[in-house]
């Protein structure tokens, strides 16, 4: 970008490296920063620095947190017999929003994805196994709530093979028809999954 | 804006912006194409499970001459390999096929034999629930259809013809197999059995090659040789090849 002054070009380049930000968006954000007041820019830089310096992973569940154990792991009112395994920390908020689940969490920070070079070694499963071994594993239900795509399914099957020998009950979240969906326009994989996961009413 | 309808195989998807996906697909009529599936991450209505890896779909897309990416309008699932890929080994195999297609096939060039090869191999993995025989067949025919399969019966260094039952040697920088006299230090052995496997696979259909007795060790040298040929041709390392090699 030779047409911009060096600091501006550098900022655009750095912004372009963020996920979902292309050249145009990077330019727009950079110009916004340029026009913003010094105080606003300082607040943004302080927030960026703060997130890097104060946020860490919970030793128990790998959630992003300021203190370890995190707020969820430290909450004694939660059901210790339920452990929900998810791909990313953002999934915790999605599940919490339902208000239906009151168990604990474990964040894998990814799913098996050979095309991205992510194998079992890259998933954070070591402290999950340790956690289950240290407690009364046979009383715990591990709910695998990885995404319902091929990576998530492969991860779920891999985890069930890893965890079942410990004596835990391993379950998978239901896959199938979305609420508000239309059967006529739903593909065969989704319908067959919904049929597989049907329940008595 | 012309609208096209084609059969396609989904090779890869990448997240784009808040809720869109970039989809790389191998179309029967137009070869490898990349397009945008608007709102595909947020809403399952239009695309559902059709954008999963190696799904065989009927795709409608519109193309603007001035744009690199086409716009995916709808996607009907013809055949899904979702269940097969729940197995980690099969999932790596499918990813390997998708990566080779993405790297080897030029953009915008139809290649019907390659299209049929991908479907044939994916179906064989689903049917037999094992990957080594179908992947060997895929590697061999992918290299042949791409036009750089060397002769496997002569030494690429001195031109001498191999005797039946004679083992050969290979190195990443060679374009073919070498004989005992030319091998030098650090060459890999290429067994006579693997040359026979290659001969059979090139002369017959995949169904004619018995799937029984195929473990990872069978024709491992043939797959390694073909993998090296692919990597030499695309001038980069495949991400999924080491993961395949690491499988027990």
């Amino acid at each position: 970008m030779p047409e911009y002054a060096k600091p501006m070009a550098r900022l655009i380049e750095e912004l372009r490296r963020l996920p979902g930000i292309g050249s145009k968006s990077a330019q727009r954000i950079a110009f916004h920063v340029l026009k913003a007041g010094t105080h606003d820019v300082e607040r943004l830089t302080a927030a960026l620095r703060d997130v890097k310096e104060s946020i860490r992973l919970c030793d128990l569940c790998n959630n992003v947190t300021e203190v370890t154990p995190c707020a969820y792991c430290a909450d004694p009112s939660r059901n210790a017999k339920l452990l929900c395994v998810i791909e990313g920390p953002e999934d915790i908020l999605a599940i919490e929003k339902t208000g239906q689940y009151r168990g604990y969490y474990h964040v894998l920070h990814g799913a098996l994805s050979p095309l991205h070079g992510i194998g079992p070694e890259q998933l954070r499963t070591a402290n999950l196994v340790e956690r289950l071994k240290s407690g009364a594993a046979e009383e715990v239900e591990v709910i695998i709530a990885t995404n319902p795509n091929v990576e998530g399914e492969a991860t779920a099957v891999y985890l069930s093979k890893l965890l079942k020998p410990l004596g835990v009950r391993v379950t998978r979240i239901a896959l199938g028809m979305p609420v508000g969906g239309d059967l006529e326009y739903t593909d065969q994989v989704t319908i067959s999954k919904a049929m597989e996961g049907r329940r008595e009413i | 804006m012309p609208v096209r309808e084609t059969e396609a195989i989904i090779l890869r998807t990448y997240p784009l912006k808040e809720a869109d996906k970039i989809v790389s697909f191998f179309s029967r009529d137009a070869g490898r194409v990349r397009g945008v599936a608007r709102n595909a991450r947020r809403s399952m209505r239009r695309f559902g499970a059709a954008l999963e890896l190696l799904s065989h779909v009927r795709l409608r897309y519109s193309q603007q001459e001035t744009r690199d990416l086409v716009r995916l309008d709808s996607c009907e699932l013809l055949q899904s390999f979702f269940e097969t890929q729940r197995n980690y080994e099969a999932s790596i195999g499918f990813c390997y096929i998708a990566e080779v297609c993405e790297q080897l096939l030029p953009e915008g060039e139809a290649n019907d034999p390659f299209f049929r090869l991908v479907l044939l191999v994916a179906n064989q993995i689903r049917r037999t629930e094992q990957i080594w025989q179908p992947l060997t067949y895929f590697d061999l025919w992918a290299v042949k259809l791409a036009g750089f399969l060397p002769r496997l019966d002569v030494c690429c260094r001195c031109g001498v013809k191999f005797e039946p039952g004679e083992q050969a040697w290979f190195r990443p920088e060679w374009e073919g197999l070498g004989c005992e006299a030319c091998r030098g230090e650090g060459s890999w052995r290429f067994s006579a059995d693997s040359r026979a496997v290659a001969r059979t696979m090139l002369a017959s259909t995949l169904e004619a090659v018995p799937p029984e007795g195929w473990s990872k060790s069978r024709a491992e040298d043939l797959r390694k040789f073909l993998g090296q040929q692919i990597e030499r041709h695309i001038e980069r390392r495949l991400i999924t090849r080491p993961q395949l090699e690491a499988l027990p």
Side-chain angles (χ1 to χ4, degrees):
Chain A
M1 274 165 278
E3 65 267 35
Y4 291 119
K6 241 184 179 177
M8 192 66 174
R10 189 179 151 211
L11 177 60
I12 294 172
E13 200 46 48
E14 289 301 321
L15 289 168
R16 253 168 50 90
R17 290 167 59 185
L18 298 175
I21 306 281
S23 306
K24 285 264 184 283
S25 302
Q27 285 177 39
R28 209 163 39 239
I29 297 168
F31 276 107
H32 175 82
V33 169
L34 197 64
K35 282 180 199 159
T38 316
H39 181 67
D40 288 339
V41 175
E42 273 169 7
R43 222 173 40 202
L44 176 66
T45 49
L48 287 171
R49 198 175 307 116
D50 197 34
V51 83
K52 261 330 264 181
E53 284 170 0
S54 61
I55 296 290
R56 52 178 294 189
L57 296 187
C58 171
D59 291 338
L60 284 174
C61 73
N62 306 321
N63 183 21
V64 287
T65 177
E66 273 184 285
V67 286
T68 184
C70 71
Y72 299 106
C73 291
D75 182 354
S77 70
R78 289 188 167 261
N79 185 348
K81 289 178 182 168
L82 288 176
L83 182 64
C84 184
V85 180
I86 53 210
E87 287 183 22
E90 64 280 5
D91 299 331
I92 293 183
L93 293 181
I95 295 173
E96 283 296 302
K97 260 197 237 169
T98 64
Q100 299 283 311
Y101 178 75
R102 288 292 299 161
Y104 289 94
Y105 293 98
H106 185 89
V107 186
L108 295 172
H109 287 274
L112 294 175
S113 177
L115 274 172
H116 294 100
I118 302 174
E121 309 77 35
Q122 279 74 41
L123 299 182
R124 291 177 182 268
T125 51
N127 55 348
L128 171 64
V129 174
E130 217 171 275
R131 194 174 174 181
L132 290 167
K133 273 184 181 167
S134 64
E138 59 282 354
E139 290 175 15
V140 177
E141 177 182 350
V142 177
I143 305 165
I144 302 178
T146 50
N147 287 331
N149 51 28
V150 287
E151 289 95 350
E153 278 294 289
T155 309
V157 173
Y158 168 78
L159 283 177
S160 74
K161 284 180 185 163
L162 182 76
L163 302 179
K164 273 188 177 164
L166 304 177
V168 293
R169 183 173 169 233
V170 183
T171 57
R172 177 86 171 109
I173 53 164
L175 310 180
M177 295 295 296
V179 175
D182 198 327
L183 204 65
E184 188 186 350
Y185 295 108
T186 308
D187 63 78
Q188 54 269 44
V189 176
T190 310
I191 294 178
S192 69
K193 284 284 165 195
M195 284 294 186
E196 261 176 46
R198 71 186 185 277
R199 64 187 171 87
E200 201 171 321
I201 49 170
Chain B
M1 204 189 298
V3 178
R4 285 182 172 213
E5 186 169 318
T6 180
E7 249 184 85
I9 296 164
I10 305 296
L11 297 181
R12 197 167 181 174
T13 61
Y14 313 79
L16 174 73
K17 293 189 197 161
E18 281 266 305
D20 304 341
K21 274 183 182 176
I22 291 184
V23 183
S24 170
F25 59 93
F26 178 24
S27 121
R28 195 159 209 159
D29 311 324
R32 191 167 59 81
V33 181
R34 294 201 320 152
V36 177
R38 297 250 180 253
N39 217 21
R41 290 170 72 200
R42 188 178 288 146
S43 162
M44 290 286 111
R45 262 201 165 159
R46 200 143 45 122
F47 300 108
L51 297 182
E52 294 297 331
L53 194 82
L54 291 202
S55 288
H56 179 203
V57 294
R58 182 169 293 117
L59 209 62
R60 272 170 70 90
Y61 64 92
S62 29
Q63 196 166 18
Q64 254 185 324
E65 291 225 346
T66 50
R67 294 209 173 152
D68 290 342
L69 297 173
V70 302
R71 195 186 71 194
L72 272 65
D73 295 325
S74 67
C75 196
E76 182 197 341
L77 188 62
L78 298 176
Q79 193 180 16
S80 167
F81 299 99
F82 189 88
E83 277 298 310
T84 316
Q85 291 178 73
R86 296 181 75 209
N87 175 315
Y88 181 54
E89 191 178 274
S91 142
I92 298 180
F94 275 71
C95 287
Y96 175 77
I97 294 170
E99 191 185 11
V100 169
C101 289
E102 268 233 296
Q103 296 298 326
L104 211 55
L105 295 168
E107 218 163 315
E109 271 181 39
N111 191 336
D112 193 60
F114 213 111
F115 190 91
R116 285 186 282 119
L117 172 69
V118 175
L119 284 183
L120 178 75
V121 170
N123 273 305
Q124 181 78 349
I125 294 176
R126 178 163 65 175
R127 199 166 39 245
T128 60
E129 294 179 348
Q130 62 105 344
I131 62 169
W132 301 114
Q133 181 237 30
L135 284 187
T136 310
Y137 190 87
F138 172 76
D139 274 343
L140 195 62
W141 275 97
V143 172
K144 184 165 173 66
L145 292 172
F148 54 90
L149 181 69
R151 282 184 66 178
L152 301 176
D153 60 345
V154 291
C155 172
C156 68
R157 313 289 290 173
C158 64
V160 71
K161 205 166 179 342
F162 299 127
E163 294 296 324
E166 182 187 346
Q167 66 182 11
W169 304 86
F170 66 100
R171 308 170 69 99
E173 63 272 21
W174 286 357
E175 281 184 20
L177 298 174
C179 65
E180 178 75 37
C182 300
R183 62 180 259 210
E185 284 285 303
S187 309
W188 285 285
R189 187 194 306 267
F190 192 99
S191 69
D193 177 54
S194 289
R195 281 202 298 121
V197 166
R199 234 184 354 259
T200 311
M201 285 187 163
L202 287 171
S204 54
T205 60
L206 182 54
E207 288 84 3
V209 183
E212 295 81 28
W214 273 86
S215 63
K216 188 192 170 192
S217 58
R218 179 102 194 260
E220 198 169 9
D221 45 5
L222 174 58
R223 285 190 303 275
K224 192 179 183 78
F225 168 71
L226 295 166
Q228 285 179 358
Q229 294 294 312
I230 293 170
E231 286 181 344
R232 207 164 61 83
H233 185 77
I234 62 175
E235 295 179 339
R236 64 180 288 266
R237 291 287 174 96
L238 293 164
I239 296 170
T240 48
R241 204 159 78 91
Q243 294 173 73
L244 269 180
E245 284 172 0
L247 284 174

